Amino acid sequence: MSEAKSELPEVIVVGRPTIFKFYDEELSKKYRMLKSWESSLALENYICKHGQSVKAMICSPSHLGIQISSSLFRLLPSLRLIVTTSTGLDHIDLVECRRRGISIASAATLFSEDVADFAVGLLIDVVRRISAAHRFVNNGLWGQFPLGSKVGSRKIGIVGLGSIGLKVAQRLEAFGCTISYQSRNKKPVPYPFYHDVYELATNCDVLVICCALTDQTHHLINKEVLRTLGKKGVIINIARGAIINEMELVQCLEEGEIAGAGLDVFENEPNVPKELLSLDNVVLTRHIAFLTEDSMRAMYELVCGNLEAFFLNKPVLSPVLDD
Amino acid sequence: MSEAKSELPEVIVVGRPTIFKFYDEELSKKYRMLKSWESSLALENYICKHGQSVKAMICSPSHLGIQISSSLFRLLPSLRLIVTTSTGLDHIDLVECRRRGISIASAATLFSEDVADFAVGLLIDVVRRISAAHRFVNNGLWGQFPLGSKVGSRKIGIVGLGSIGLKVAQRLEAFGCTISYQSRNKKPVPYPFYHDVYELATNCDVLVICCALTDQTHHLINKEVLRTLGKKGVIINIARGAIINEMELVQCLEEGEIAGAGLDVFENEPNVPKELLSLDNVVLTRHIAFLTEDSMRAMYELVCGNLEAFFLNKPVLSPVLDD
């Protein structure tokens, strides 16, 4: 068994990707998975010890703090492929990958539908106060309950009209919502386009954050944007926590400068601002918008497909291409 | 003031309709509203005292137990119009109304969009475990959380394809769900039709209850239907509690015979079965699916429009017509 195992191609796994919580056994049958989290060594020492000949890596951003950059690449001189189990690439130094000739395969649009569904679920929950109503009933109350507002009466601003943003828009159109969007470039869609996020916020009362986290989008949503959104404003974030200035969001929510928020992501996961826990107008979930039985199965198949192609010297299935 | 008021047409109000929580002042300026709940007299005594010449009634089913039937009609010999602020008519004796020549105006389809939105919100919440995830985060937890399933992978069965059911179907189509329905009659829609609710449950894994409560639909959903739906089954009810055999539903949820439920209505409101409060796979709300700022405003306008038409001897705006 151990001899057979040693013949399997080696893959280093960094950051304990969620997929290993569900498909560890299946994955470990196909590759010799070097699971850094199973070692008592610090990550860099572990890689130093095992990484010399490793050609492929699986990583995820779920274990934040780990940046896939030079300090790791120096310890992995044979590395030629990174398979990240995420759509976002903010944990990987793309420039350095290009320089070193390391290819990247990502989740691409695999999670788009699940994430879009979840965004709409959070939006309905906040606008119609479902979680708050559930707490109300669970506390043995009936009687008067604060009114929500009609979903279809809301003016939705999508921040970042990529694969997820577009699916959010398509779903919300079925509810009769008015859709606008902000994006780097105008897209071939019938929705009004705003280049500037303030202009979007001026014309909307709900913002759904669907863009990637980059230097340009870091703290894109600050207190000025939130105040522009207004007192009936609702913000939904299923993208990355740091796209919003979280401290300013907390302040705006506490002071009633906006009406509510549905947040699946946070600036310093797994830390959730304590102030949010006591608010009745927010719905908080733990970065699970992408996570379903279906998406985990599909992700498992995509990871296997990418590794298989790579070790057969074929093009990977979901390559990250240069802009 | 009191003299001016006494010249306004009288309207008896039974059951404290929700609309009076938001538009009491406006309504009371237009009509002399005889609000039974403001009197210390029992309802029948109050009507006996004030009802002799009253021609119009406003009622709602929110105060369950009050049936608008012969025992009240006998005390209201001049009654010619009932305006109910509900879509459902299960609290009104329709046969007796017809016999006595009393017209009925209802909310008709006024609440359809709000109720359909809420049904979809409950469905996403249960299937993607949003409220449960919120409790998880609020308890200071991160880490592993049970997987939900993809909304679009679910096979939805709509029980009762009226105005609400159709809007639920249209919304869920945008998520990629497969839709079927059960109804008294086949409708001109592209969804598969089942005459029998067992057949529907056999072919679906989510049931959304959207039908009226009648003698035929009372306890339509019993343990046999739920068991047919299966262990991954989810049930959403935004119609009337008694369409489901609640005791059998509680049992099926407790024993894992179905996976979860989203319930806005209960068999004996305001009583919610205590067993449900401890379950993590149910979302419970207090009959608020119809309730938004927008629907209350629209309802206020419809009630006024119906009364105004009636007192001008014109046809009411939202008449309930015989089948």
Side-chain angles (χ1 to χ4, degrees):
Chain A
M1 175 78 185
S2 96
E3 249 180 283
K5 270 220 163 178
S6 70
E7 284 165 28
L8 297 174
E10 283 181 332
V11 177
I12 190 147
V13 194
V14 171
R16 195 164 197 177
T18 310
I19 191 77
F20 278 85
K21 291 179 184 157
F22 302 101
Y23 289 96
D24 191 334
E25 200 181 328
E26 292 84 343
L27 288 163
S28 299
K29 271 183 197 155
K30 301 190 171 187
Y31 298 95
R32 190 166 161 240
M33 294 291 180
L34 300 168
K35 292 174 246 177
S36 54
W37 66 89
E38 288 186 348
S39 165
S40 57
L41 293 175
L43 179 62
E44 299 213 349
N45 295 341
Y46 180 83
I47 295 180
C48 205
K49 188 172 169 194
H50 296 283
Q52 206 57 30
S53 59
V54 170
K55 291 192 179 67
M57 172 193 281
I58 303 177
C59 72
S60 84
S62 69
H63 227 77
L64 289 178
I66 300 177
Q67 283 295 314
I68 313 297
S69 59
S70 291
S71 60
L72 293 190
F73 294 151
R74 273 196 294 270
L75 308 172
L76 294 159
S78 311
L79 191 68
R80 288 296 165 266
L81 176 72
I82 296 171
V83 178
T84 179
T85 58
S86 61
T87 302
L89 302 169
D90 45 292
H91 55 305
I92 303 175
D93 185 337
L94 303 178
V95 174
E96 194 58 27
C97 283
R98 196 178 304 137
R99 206 180 67 78
R100 291 177 180 259
I102 299 170
S103 306
I104 306 169
S106 75
T109 59
L110 186 140
F111 298 122
S112 298
E113 292 188 338
D114 281 319
V115 174
D117 294 348
F118 204 86
V120 174
L122 284 176
L123 191 156
I124 302 176
D125 194 323
V126 175
V127 167
R128 296 298 311 273
R129 306 179 53 77
I130 293 179
S131 291
H134 178 76
R135 284 194 292 280
F136 190 80
V137 170
N138 254 33
N139 289 332
L141 298 170
W142 196 263
Q144 189 137 7
F145 182 75
L147 289 181
S149 63
K150 189 189 194 79
V151 175
S153 74
R154 305 306 299 243
K155 287 175 288 178
I156 312 291
I158 311 274
V159 178
L161 199 76
S163 169
I164 294 169
L166 195 59
K167 287 185 165 57
V168 170
Q170 288 162 344
R171 281 154 176 70
L172 288 175
E173 267 197 292
F175 292 79
C177 295
T178 311
I179 314 281
S180 321
Y181 72 105
Q182 181 269 346
S183 210
R184 276 174 303 180
N185 306 302
K186 198 171 181 317
K187 314 260 173 168
V189 293
Y191 317 125
F193 164 67
Y194 297 97
H195 187 73
D196 188 281
V197 80
Y198 292 91
E199 264 187 78
L200 184 72
T202 305
N203 289 284
C204 293
D205 53 26
V206 177
L207 290 184
V208 187
I209 315 300
C210 301
C211 60
L213 174 61
T214 64
D215 289 344
Q216 287 73 47
T217 64
H218 183 264
H219 283 196
L220 177 68
I221 309 297
N222 55 25
K223 62 174 181 289
E224 285 76 29
V225 176
L226 295 170
R227 280 177 192 151
T228 306
L229 197 61
K231 289 198 186 301
K232 294 210 157 191
V234 166
I235 194 143
I236 304 296
N237 193 1
I238 45 69
R240 286 287 179 272
I243 298 166
I244 304 180
N245 183 321
E246 197 170 74
M247 215 179 68
E248 296 185 357
L249 171 63
V250 167
Q251 216 177 336
C252 285
L253 283 165
E254 286 188 307
E255 294 171 4
E257 300 215 58
I258 64 168
L263 307 172
D264 186 50
V265 289
F266 301 90
E267 202 164 343
N268 301 300
E269 294 174 11
N271 298 311
V272 177
K274 295 232 168 344
E275 299 89 334
L276 293 179
L277 303 183
S278 58
L279 296 178
D280 208 41
N281 54 341
V282 296
V283 182
L284 311 169
T285 55
R286 52 157 298 287
H287 206 145
I288 57 169
F290 70 104
L291 201 59
T292 63
E293 292 166 6
D294 312 74
S295 70
M296 285 301 100
R297 178 79 208 169
M299 189 69 230
Y300 162 68
E301 284 165 6
L302 184 61
V303 166
C304 291
N306 273 315
L307 290 173
E308 196 176 312
F310 170 76
F311 285 113
L312 290 171
N313 286 315
K314 291 183 180 173
V316 294
L317 305 185
S318 54
V320 173
L321 302 171
D322 286 347
D323 263 349
Chain B
M1 172 79 185
S2 95
E3 248 180 283
K5 269 221 162 176
S6 71
E7 284 168 26
L8 297 174
E10 283 181 331
V11 177
I12 190 149
V13 194
V14 171
R16 196 163 196 177
T18 311
I19 191 76
F20 277 85
K21 292 181 183 155
F22 302 101
Y23 290 96
D24 192 335
E25 200 181 328
E26 292 84 343
L27 287 164
S28 299
K29 272 183 196 155
K30 300 190 173 186
Y31 298 95
R32 189 166 163 242
M33 293 293 179
L34 301 167
K35 292 174 248 180
S36 54
W37 65 90
E38 290 185 348
S39 165
S40 58
L41 294 174
L43 180 63
E44 299 212 349
N45 295 341
Y46 180 84
I47 295 179
C48 204
K49 187 170 170 196
H50 296 283
Q52 203 58 31
S53 58
V54 170
K55 291 191 177 67
M57 172 192 282
I58 304 177
C59 71
S60 85
S62 69
H63 228 76
L64 289 178
I66 300 178
Q67 283 295 314
I68 313 297
S69 59
S70 292
S71 60
L72 293 190
F73 295 150
R74 273 195 294 268
L75 309 172
L76 293 159
S78 311
L79 190 69
R80 288 295 164 269
L81 175 71
I82 295 172
V83 178
T84 179
T85 59
S86 61
T87 302
L89 302 169
D90 45 292
H91 54 306
I92 302 174
D93 185 335
L94 303 178
V95 174
E96 194 59 24
C97 283
R98 195 177 307 136
R99 206 179 67 80
R100 291 176 181 260
I102 300 169
S103 306
I104 305 170
S106 76
T109 59
L110 186 139
F111 298 121
S112 297
E113 292 188 339
D114 282 319
V115 173
D117 294 347
F118 204 87
V120 174
L122 284 176
L123 190 156
I124 302 177
D125 194 325
V126 174
V127 166
R128 296 298 309 273
R129 305 181 52 78
I130 293 180
S131 291
H134 177 77
R135 283 194 292 280
F136 190 79
V137 170
N138 254 33
N139 289 332
L141 299 170
W142 195 263
Q144 187 138 6
F145 182 76
L147 289 180
S149 62
K150 190 189 193 78
V151 175
S153 74
R154 305 306 302 242
K155 288 174 286 177
I156 313 290
I158 311 272
V159 178
L161 200 76
S163 169
I164 294 169
L166 194 60
K167 287 186 165 58
V168 170
Q170 287 163 344
R171 281 153 176 72
L172 288 174
E173 267 198 291
F175 293 78
C177 295
T178 311
I179 315 280
S180 321
Y181 72 104
Q182 180 269 348
S183 210
R184 275 175 303 181
N185 306 304
K186 199 170 181 316
K187 313 260 174 168
V189 293
Y191 317 126
F193 165 67
Y194 298 97
H195 186 73
D196 187 280
V197 81
Y198 292 92
E199 262 186 79
L200 183 74
T202 306
N203 289 284
C204 294
D205 52 26
V206 177
L207 290 184
V208 186
I209 313 301
C210 301
C211 60
L213 174 61
T214 63
D215 288 345
Q216 287 72 45
T217 64
H218 183 265
H219 283 197
L220 176 68
I221 309 297
N222 55 23
K223 63 174 182 289
E224 284 75 30
V225 176
L226 295 169
R227 281 178 191 150
T228 306
L229 197 60
K231 289 199 186 297
K232 294 210 157 192
V234 166
I235 194 144
I236 305 297
N237 192 2
I238 44 70
R240 287 287 181 272
I243 298 165
I244 304 180
N245 183 322
E246 198 169 72
M247 215 179 67
E248 296 185 359
L249 172 63
V250 168
Q251 215 178 339
C252 285
L253 283 164
E254 286 189 307
E255 293 172 5
E257 300 214 59
I258 64 169
L263 307 173
D264 185 50
V265 288
F266 301 90
E267 201 164 344
N268 300 301
E269 295 175 12
N271 299 311
V272 177
K274 292 228 170 350
E275 299 89 334
L276 293 179
L277 302 183
S278 57
L279 296 178
D280 210 40
N281 54 339
V282 296
V283 183
L284 311 169
T285 54
R286 53 158 294 292
H287 206 144
I288 56 171
F290 71 104
L291 201 58
T292 63
E293 294 166 8
D294 311 74
S295 70
M296 285 301 100
R297 177 80 209 169
M299 190 68 232
Y300 162 68
E301 285 165 6
L302 184 61
V303 166
C304 291
N306 273 316
L307 289 175
E308 198 176 310
F310 170 76
F311 284 113
L312 289 172
N313 286 315
K314 290 180 178 174
V316 294
L317 305 185
S318 54
V320 173
L321 302 171
D322 285 348
D323 264 348

